[in-house]
């Protein structure tokens, strides 16, 4: 479905992404994970040409993305931002309807799609006439996901969509994303710096560092056979956190090192 063939991006003499080869199968979620400056977001933006590649080719469903106008390409791809990016002067329903309106869908079809998507992202239909400043962070991010799905795109791109949310809301939205994935078989590239999130949401995981691909594989492959010390360190973080949590839970209530509730 999505093919990245030798993709690179250079600013001056500095390469921020170097000769990246990746494939995403139809219905698959590929997670790009790595620290700041690893090239995750730049790679994502090259897929819908928010950033133009300096080298290589990107194909979606066999078609070179450079062969069509960038605005036309973007209308076929759902994009979810970390900061949501809802239009503040539009209602929830109007935000969701932006791309279908640009594609000249009729009003009845747009209204049906809004209703379908509010149900899919688990938002009350009573919210459809509210503006973004009347929503919680989690509600706004759900609207962002609904807007990205509005025109029934074949591909979704998600750039750290849950990173700014509090842990309980983030957990709920991760579960919601898995539910959406099962319902509609979305093909997606998902960017995160959080290995726990990557392991939870990805069918496969691609680890980037300094613009280079270190390893790509299933969660079991990444967990069991990390390619190098850097990948191993990323995998070790959720393991260590789990071990520390289990140790805390196993301590007796009288243990003075356990803080009082």
């Amino acid at each position: 479905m999505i093919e990245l063939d030798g993709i690179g991006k250079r600013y001056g003499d500095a390469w921020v992404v170097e000769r990246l080869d990746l494939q995403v199968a139809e219905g698959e979620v590929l997670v790009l994970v790595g620290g700041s400056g690893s090239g995750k977001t730049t790679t994502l933006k090259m897929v819908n040409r928010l950033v133009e590649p300096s080298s290589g080719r990107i194909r979606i469903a066999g078609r070179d993305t450079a062969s069509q106008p960038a605005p036309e390409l973007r209308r076929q791809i759902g994009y979810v931002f970390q900061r949501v990016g809802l239009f503040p002067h539009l209602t929830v329903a109007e935000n969701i309807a932006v791309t279908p309106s640009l594609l000249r869908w009729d009003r009845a079809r747009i209204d049906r799609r809004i209703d379908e998507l509010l149900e899919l992202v688990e938002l009350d239909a009573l919210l459809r006439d509210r503006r973004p400043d009347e929503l919680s962070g989690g509600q706004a991010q759900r609207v962002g996901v609904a807007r990205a799905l509005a025109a029934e795109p074949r591909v979704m791109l998600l750039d750290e969509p849950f990173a700014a949310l509090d842990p309980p809301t983030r957990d709920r939205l991760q579960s919601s994303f898995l539910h959406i994935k099962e319902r509609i078989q979305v093909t997606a590239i998902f960017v995160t710096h959080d290995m726990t999130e990557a392991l939870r949401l990805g069918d496969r995981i691609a680890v980037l560092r300094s613009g280079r691909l270190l390893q790509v594989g299933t969660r079991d492959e990444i967990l069991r056979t990390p390619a190098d010390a850097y990948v191993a360190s990323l995998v070790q973080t959720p393991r260590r956190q789990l071990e520390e949590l289990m140790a805390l839970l196993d301590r007796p209530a009288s243990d003075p090192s356990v803080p009082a509730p």
Side-chain angles (χ1 to χ4, degrees):
M1 171 63 82
I2 308 173
E3 301 170 78
L4 280 63
D5 183 9
I7 284 299
K9 182 61 184 178
R10 181 178 62 190
Y11 293 104
D13 294 330
W15 287 89
V16 294
V17 176
E18 295 189 56
R19 295 194 58 81
L20 185 61
D21 295 310
L22 281 172
Q23 293 79 40
V24 186
E26 187 168 3
E28 179 182 42
V29 175
L30 177 71
V31 176
L32 303 183
V33 65
S36 298
S38 61
K40 307 183 301 298
T41 294
T42 299
T43 299
L44 195 74
K45 289 181 176 180
M46 284 193 284
V47 174
N48 70 350
R49 294 179 58 196
L50 285 172
V51 170
E52 295 288 354
S54 302
S55 65
R57 294 288 181 186
I58 299 173
R59 290 178 289 274
I60 296 177
R63 184 177 183 185
D64 192 327
T65 57
S67 68
Q68 56 188 310
E72 177 184 318
L73 171 70
R74 293 181 195 128
R75 290 171 191 168
Q76 303 168 38
I77 298 173
Y79 199 107
V80 185
F81 302 85
Q82 177 180 340
R83 301 186 186 279
V84 189
L86 299 179
F87 296 108
H89 60 292
L90 300 182
T91 66
V92 165
E94 289 167 342
N95 267 283
I96 295 172
V98 166
T99 301
S101 297
L102 290 171
L103 295 174
R104 301 186 183 280
W105 288 19
D106 65 69
R107 187 69 251 175
R109 184 183 179 190
I110 291 174
D111 285 339
R112 286 195 304 270
R113 186 61 175 158
I114 291 168
D115 291 339
E116 292 169 358
L117 288 168
L118 289 175
E119 179 183 0
L120 183 65
V121 301
E122 301 171 342
L123 280 177
D124 194 312
L126 295 175
L127 297 175
R128 62 182 294 142
D129 294 323
R130 293 192 184 178
R131 298 191 185 277
D133 62 1
E134 299 176 285
L135 304 176
S136 69
Q139 288 171 335
Q141 197 58 277
R142 288 177 189 272
V143 175
V145 172
R147 183 178 62 181
L149 291 167
E152 302 173 342
R154 301 185 67 182
V155 169
M156 280 189 73
L157 307 176
L158 301 100
D159 188 7
E160 301 202 55
F162 312 141
L165 301 172
D166 61 85
T169 302
R170 184 171 186 168
D171 178 69
R172 288 194 297 271
L173 284 175
Q174 288 172 351
S175 296
S176 181
F177 178 78
L178 290 171
H179 169 71
I180 291 168
K181 175 186 167 186
E182 291 175 1
R183 284 273 303 272
I184 64 175
Q185 288 293 298
V186 64
T187 302
I189 301 177
F190 190 112
V191 163
T192 183
H193 64 274
D194 183 340
M195 181 55 90
T196 301
E197 184 169 69
L199 292 168
R200 184 179 185 188
L201 301 183
D203 295 305
R204 288 189 304 137
I205 298 164
V207 181
L208 302 180
R209 188 182 191 190
S210 300
R212 296 180 179 179
L213 178 65
L214 300 183
Q215 186 174 3
V216 60
T218 65
R219 61 174 64 91
D220 284 346
E221 290 168 341
I222 296 290
L223 285 168
R224 296 179 187 280
T225 55
D228 64 10
Y230 179 75
V231 180
S233 70
L234 291 180
V235 169
Q236 186 58 33
T237 298
R239 282 180 171 159
R240 186 183 67 252
Q241 291 171 339
L242 177 60
E243 290 167 358
E244 291 174 352
L245 176 61
M246 295 305 295
L248 285 171
L249 292 173
D250 286 343
R251 288 178 184 171
S254 60
D255 190 329
S257 65
V258 179

